[in-house]
Amino acid sequence: MGFYFVDPKTYKKYKDRVLELSHAVQINFQEHLPAGNRQPALSDKQIAQRLGIEEHVVREIRCVAERDKYPIDEFEAAIHFKDKACRDYAAKGMSSVMSKYVKRAKKE
Amino acid sequence: MRAQSRKKPGKTDPAETDSAHMDFEGAKAEITGIAHKSGALVWGVVAADAFEAAPEGRRPSDLLPRAESVLVVGGAQPRAGDWQSPNYQHMEVTTTSDRIHGLALRLARVVEDHYGYYAVCVPAGVDHGQQPFMSIAMAAELAGCGSKSLAGPVLHPEYGFMYFGAIVTTMPLPADGPLEIPACPAPECVEMYSSEGLTPCTRVCPIASGGCLSGRIEDGRIVERQYDVARCTTRVQNYWVPGFQKVLGETLRERDPEKQKMILYSSMFSRTLWSMTYANVSQGQCAECMRVCPLGRAHRTKQ
């Protein structure tokens, strides 16, 4: 008994295109954006049709590529990011990000 | 007529259900009344055929054939005090999303046992393609429970961030509509953007400086948005399945048993395993864009 996975050559060949079409970075993805601006991602089935490969191959490439995009260092960096942002908010509240408006509200 | 309104769950024979004579407005009021009493802050209904923007395979009828309606409930936000803690790890292990899923499961039972229609609670997890079975966020927006934000989550105009649950049903409940005026951007954010080109969420997590978000506002509305899903994953699922896979990969590559031990017993890997043990559905391990969101701030401000 085995399990299915994509061979690394196929992965390397298609991963950038799959990430781009599936919107790993969503650019104007949301439904409520003006129709002319909106760029919804393609589904795995649509990407498969576009690239001429099978849908389950696209799914595997996408799943691996999404995880592969950032190295483990980024997970370490996330810890420091959250710690700083959280402590800044605890110390300064909303003025940690919008001091000008908090000061103005206090004057009023 | 309010069909079987006095019967308790589990007492209804589906054959007794007479949809031609059922008071669906009354039934909706009764179901949402139960939702309210059970802790939901907001609720709404959307017709199952309103999900044109959803990709094929992720629409209500893909989960439940002959689906007529999707009932959405929202609430179970973190407490006001949770947002004030200087320890970001606190919210990582006090997720409250499972409460709203539990409520949705209860309502699904009411629809089936009390009214005799099929009801499926949309799973909070992901399928084998690591994608949601159906977008609960889209359902919440279409049902008028809030609107999608620059940061991503659906936000309610008064309460701001909350968790949502959705039930797909064959019961033809009267539908609500989306909000006429989107909750995001809040007036404070529009003002900040007009002078600085940033909002609180895009300032705290800017895509151009190693974060996840950016966007453009015109005439008080979001007209452009960028969101780095993979980077957000490193923050929201920091100590969870993605983090586990990364550390496991490093461990398998390491040939030196002493170094391997350092990785396996490290604080990050240990914390990841604890986190996976705690989790029954999912954990959101980053809330910094929501922490600074002005929407719902009045409800998050206490003595």
Side-chain angles (χ1 to χ4, degrees), chain A residues 15-58:
Chain A
K15 74 164 184 170
D16 291 337
R17 194 78 181 117
V18 167
L19 278 180
E20 184 188 335
L21 294 171
S22 66
H23 274 209
V25 176
Q26 294 179 359
I27 300 168
N28 296 341
F29 188 90
Q30 288 171 310
E31 298 84 20
H32 68 266
L33 292 171
N37 285 14
R38 190 167 181 246
Q39 302 171 49
L42 299 187
S43 66
D44 291 343
K45 188 177 179 180
Q46 290 168 319
I47 295 171
Q49 287 164 350
R50 180 83 63 98
L51 300 181
I53 53 180
E54 291 177 82
E55 182 181 353
H56 72 127
V57 175
V58 171

Side-chain angles (χ1 to χ4, degrees), chain A residues 31 67 70 74 101 104, chain B residues 148 191 195 228 231 245:
Chain A
E31 298 84 20
R67 195 67 78 246
Y70 287 111
E74 196 68 34
Y101 304 106
R104 185 185 299 172
Chain B
K148 286 195 183 170
E191 192 180 357
S195 63
D228 189 333
R231 192 189 298 278
Q245 289 171 315

